[in-house]
Amino acid sequence: MDKSSQKKSLRASDYYLILYNLVLTVGWSLILFVTAQTVLTWKNQNDVLSSKNLYKNNELLLQIFQTAALLEVVHAAIGIVRSNPVLVFVQVLSRITVVWFVSYPFSTPKNSIGILIICIAWSFAEIIRYTYYALNIIGKIPFLITWCR
């Protein structure tokens, strides 16, 4: 058998998942970029401690891309990924809670160093994770991405 006949053929759901993961990778990369751009405008310790303008600059992006993660529950529920939908829901719900029920309605989280930590930690974690998922579908995961994951 030649190599071309051994390749895994992709299903329509695989193409969808590749697109989904790439879109989320780009989204979280944008959040990281906006975070870095905002941090570079800070002039003093108070700007850092209050994460000056960071939430305002990233609010819509955080809402869109964190809420989009709800699709992962759907993916698990309909079986296009091998995950437990209940566990995925709990994981996604924790972040949705931070975005929609803690940060969105109250000013204190928006103006704390916590939003800086969230933007950086979530961005790095999600860029690596979604990149890994997209490349895993086609079987082309670089060692560095596997190591980071």
Side-chain angles (χ1 to χ4, degrees):
M1 229 192 267
D2 67 355
K3 284 187 177 185
S4 63
S5 63
Q6 292 176 354
K7 285 186 179 179
K8 174 188 164 194
S9 60
L10 298 178
R11 301 168 297 179
S13 61
D14 292 329
Y15 289 107
Y16 162 75
L17 287 171
I18 290 168
L19 179 63
Y20 170 81
N21 288 305
L22 289 176
V23 167
L24 273 285
T25 298
V26 169
W28 284 103
S29 297
L30 185 56
I31 290 169
L32 185 60
F33 175 77
V34 170
T35 298
Q37 198 173 35
T38 303
V39 167
L40 291 173
T41 67
W42 295 345
K43 307 261 188 276
N44 56 49
Q45 183 179 7
N46 189 48
D47 290 351
V48 175
L49 295 176
S50 68
S51 293
K52 183 179 178 186
N53 294 325
L54 183 59
Y55 183 82
K56 180 182 73 145
N57 295 348
N58 268 324
E59 179 178 23
L60 183 61
L61 294 170
L62 285 168
Q63 291 168 344
I64 290 169
F65 292 104
Q66 204 55 270
T67 304
L70 284 171
L71 287 172
E72 293 174 33
V73 179
V74 176
H75 299 160
I78 65 174
I80 62 173
V81 297
R82 291 178 299 160
S83 297
N84 181 319
V86 175
L87 294 178
V88 173
F89 176 73
V90 171
Q91 291 170 340
V92 171
L93 182 62
S94 67
R95 289 186 176 196
I96 297 287
T97 299
V98 171
V99 170
W100 287 105
F101 302 114
V102 176
S103 299
Y104 179 72
F106 303 108
S107 62
T108 303
K110 294 176 190 172
N111 301 311
S112 75
I113 198 164
I115 199 68
L116 172 62
I117 294 167
I118 282 172
C119 286
I120 292 171
W122 284 356
S123 292
F124 278 110
E126 300 299 37
I127 291 166
I128 293 164
R129 184 168 76 99
Y130 288 118
T131 301
Y132 177 90
Y133 288 161
L135 294 174
N136 187 45
I137 293 167
I138 59 172
K140 304 273 186 195
I141 309 169
F143 171 77
L144 181 61
I145 297 294
T146 302
W147 182 83
C148 289
R149 177 129 161 76

